[in-house]
Amino acid sequence: MAILKILKYPDPILKKAAAPVESVTVETSRLIEDMVETMYRAPGVGLAAPQVGVSRRIIVLDPDHENPGKNLLKLINPEILHAEGEVMWEEGCLSVVDFTVEIKRAANVRVVALNEKEKEVSIDAEGLLAVALQHEIDHLNGKLIIDYVSRLKRDLYSRRLKKMSRGGKPQPENARLMI
């Protein structure tokens, strides 16, 4: 397994809709295992393939960071079939450094996907898992948490990123757990 580079906003790959996976190959399985390793190392609750530069509809999630691997999900071509309720959740993102925002999400979702053995799975989720599923599926559709804020706030964030890069200072790594 390998640790992959996590792309950062404004990398253009993050804004593209990811292509469906036609079949699970050896390369697909290797990518999934590398994504899991990268997610745990970050540390993050979830990771989508576009975040590591692969524009394919694959996500990995583990909302139970106290028991790594116990509730690990590896999902291919995930889709939200049903969503209900509302919840406000403060989210961060491994690809949008040093930025959090409250986002209104569905409180409960039903997601269908393929697992790594190409069998269909259905997941009924609430709480952090529901939010993380919606966050990662947003990545597959080319949407980032920064797209939920006003143009003014996006511009301010972009200027802050440019200022940090001109100053030669490394971007601050957020020690909090990110989706």
Side-chain angles (χ1 to χ4, degrees):
M1 290 192 283
I3 302 298
L4 305 171
K5 179 183 175 188
I6 298 175
L7 301 180
K8 307 293 186 213
Y9 173 84
D11 192 297
I13 291 175
L14 296 170
K15 296 300 294 173
K16 291 177 54 179
V21 174
E22 300 295 327
S23 64
V24 178
T25 63
V26 171
E27 290 78 25
T28 306
S29 295
R30 185 176 313 124
L31 170 64
I32 291 170
E33 293 310 313
D34 290 346
M35 288 173 59
V36 169
E37 187 79 14
T38 303
M39 174 187 72
Y40 284 134
R41 177 72 63 89
V45 171
L47 189 67
Q51 291 180 277
V52 293
V54 180
S55 191
R56 307 294 303 269
R57 298 187 74 80
I58 301 170
I59 61 175
V60 296
L61 302 108
D62 190 347
D64 186 0
H65 55 80
E66 293 182 9
N67 300 295
K70 187 175 178 185
N71 296 302
L72 176 63
L73 295 171
K74 304 170 186 176
L75 303 176
I76 299 163
N77 299 332
E79 290 182 39
I80 297 172
L81 277 192
H82 179 74
E84 66 180 29
E86 290 181 358
V87 63
M88 291 297 290
W89 204 280
E90 184 175 3
E91 298 180 33
C93 180
L94 296 171
S95 293
V96 184
V97 177
D98 200 28
F99 185 85
T100 60
V101 61
E102 280 201 355
I103 298 175
K104 186 187 302 183
R105 299 280 191 184
N108 303 291
V109 294
R110 174 172 288 154
V111 172
V112 293
L114 298 177
N115 65 17
E116 60 195 303
K117 295 176 182 164
E118 297 188 78
K119 292 190 176 182
E120 187 172 301
V121 293
S122 178
I123 301 162
D124 289 315
E126 61 182 23
L128 176 59
L129 180 57
V131 170
L133 282 164
Q134 292 169 83
H135 178 108
E136 300 308 332
I137 291 171
D138 271 357
H139 276 295
L140 302 180
N141 295 324
K143 189 168 187 171
L144 301 172
I145 62 170
I146 198 148
D147 296 322
Y148 286 92
V149 301
S150 70
R151 183 184 180 128
L152 175 63
K153 287 183 180 177
R154 274 195 307 274
D155 289 347
L156 288 171
Y157 179 72
S158 294
R159 276 190 245 152
R160 187 165 48 127
L161 283 180
K162 286 178 185 173
K163 187 175 180 181
M164 283 191 298
S165 67
R166 276 195 309 259
K169 297 177 186 172
Q171 295 180 354
E173 292 294 326
N174 197 331
R176 292 182 294 173
L177 196 59
M178 294 289 145
I179 295 176

